[in-house]
Amino acid sequence: MSQDLWLQNYDAACRMAREIAENIHERNKQQRTGGNPAKLNMSLRASLQKLKQNIAQLRETLNLNSAQRRIMQAEANRRQTLVDDLATREAILNTSFKEDISEAEPSRSCLMTGANGSRPAGNPWLVNESEQTRGLRFGEIKHQQQQIIEAQDAGLDALAAVISRQKQMGQEIGNELEEQNEIIDDLAQLVLACCVFQRSLMTLLSLWTRQTAASKTRRTESSC
C-alpha cells in the first residue's frame, strides 16, 4: 500500500528543513573564511519562505482531514505533533539565519560610517563596540567570532540529527500502519471466504437433508 499524500508532503518538508540547515552551515563557513555568501543568502530566504508555506499547507490539510474524519483522532494528534515540531525547527532556522545576517551587516556599516551614519568616523573600530570585545586585539575578536559561528554550526548539526531521527521515526510509524492495514485487509478476505464457505456448506446440508427425506419416503412406500 502506498503512503498517503499528507505523509509524503511532510517528508518533503523535513528534507527541505535539512537542506536549509546544511545551507546555513555552508553560509557560515563562507563568512568565516571571508567568502561572499550573498547567493546563498538569497536562496535561503526563498527556501525559508517556501518551508513556512508548506507547513501552513500541512496544517490546513490536517485540520480538513480531521474535521471530515478521514483519519482517526489518535493519528490526527500524532500528525499535529509532527507539524508543531516542524514549525519549531522552521522558527529556529529562521532565527539562526536572521541573526547571522544582522551581525554581519552592522559590522560593514560601522567600518564605512561614523556613529551617526553621516560621515567616516575617526576610529571606526571603536564605533558601537561591545563590552565583550572592548580591549581585545583584532585577532582575538576574530577568534571569538569564529567560536560563536562554530557553536552555531554545532547547534545546527544537532538540529539536523534530530530532524533525521524524527524522519526515521515517522517512516517507521508509516510502515507499521501499512503493515497493520495489510493485516486488516487479509482478515477481511479471510472472513469473506469463511462466509462463502459457510453458505456453501449450508446449501449442501440442506440438499442432503432433502435427499435423505426423499429416500426414506421411497423406502416406506416400497414396504407398503
Side-chain angles (χ1 to χ4, degrees):
M1 299 175 62
S2 60
Q3 192 178 46
D4 68 36
L5 183 59
W6 192 94
L7 290 175
Q8 292 178 6
N9 291 337
Y10 171 76
D11 288 342
C14 287
R15 287 194 298 271
M16 179 177 291
R18 287 197 302 274
E19 291 173 359
I20 291 173
E22 292 171 357
N23 287 337
I24 292 178
H25 180 78
E26 178 63 25
R27 191 275 306 273
N28 290 345
K29 288 174 63 177
Q30 290 187 13
Q31 287 180 340
R32 187 166 57 246
T33 57
N36 184 7
K39 185 176 180 180
L40 261 180
N41 284 333
M42 292 179 59
S43 176
L44 282 168
R45 286 191 183 95
S47 296
L48 285 166
Q49 182 63 28
K50 180 64 175 176
L51 178 61
K52 184 176 182 180
Q53 294 173 355
N54 290 349
I55 294 174
Q57 183 64 38
L58 285 170
R59 287 190 188 279
E60 181 180 351
T61 304
L62 177 59
N63 291 335
L64 180 62
N65 291 341
S66 179
Q68 296 179 351
R69 300 186 181 277
R70 295 179 181 175
I71 56 177
M72 298 181 65
Q73 187 60 44
E75 176 64 10
N77 293 339
R78 185 185 74 85
R79 295 187 181 189
Q80 184 63 54
T81 300
L82 293 177
V83 175
D84 291 341
D85 290 343
L86 186 58
T88 300
R89 296 175 220 155
E90 183 270 334
I92 293 173
L93 290 171
N94 199 42
T95 299
S96 178
F97 170 73
K98 289 182 178 180
E99 282 181 350
D100 288 335
I101 292 296
S102 63
E103 288 173 0
E105 290 178 351
S107 299
R108 290 194 296 270
S109 63
C110 287
L111 291 175
M112 299 302 296
T113 62
N116 58 4
S118 60
R119 59 184 178 83
N123 189 352
W125 297 102
L126 299 180
V127 176
N128 295 331
E129 187 177 12
S130 65
E131 292 292 336
Q132 290 80 4
T133 60
R134 186 167 297 152
L136 298 178
R137 294 189 299 272
F138 176 79
E140 294 172 333
I141 295 175
K142 183 178 180 181
H143 178 68
Q144 187 181 78
Q145 291 175 340
Q146 288 178 344
Q147 289 180 326
I148 294 173
I149 292 174
E150 288 172 357
Q152 291 176 341
D153 290 345
L156 290 173
D157 290 340
L159 175 61
V162 170
I163 293 173
S164 179
R165 286 196 300 270
Q166 293 191 345
K167 178 193 175 184
Q168 184 178 0
M169 290 175 58
Q171 290 176 338
E172 291 175 353
I173 292 173
N175 293 336
E176 183 177 353
L177 288 174
E178 289 180 5
E179 292 176 358
Q180 291 178 352
N181 288 334
E182 290 174 356
I183 292 173
I184 292 173
D185 291 342
D186 293 339
L187 287 174
Q189 292 294 330
L190 180 60
V191 170
L192 179 61
C194 289
C195 290
V196 172
F197 176 78
Q198 185 180 20
R199 285 197 296 267
S200 300
L201 185 60
M202 293 300 295
T203 301
L204 291 173
L205 182 59
S206 177
L207 180 61
W208 179 81
T209 301
R210 289 197 299 269
Q211 289 177 347
T212 301
S215 178
K216 287 182 178 179
T217 301
R218 287 193 297 270
R219 286 199 299 269
T220 301
E221 290 175 352
S222 297
S223 62
C224 293

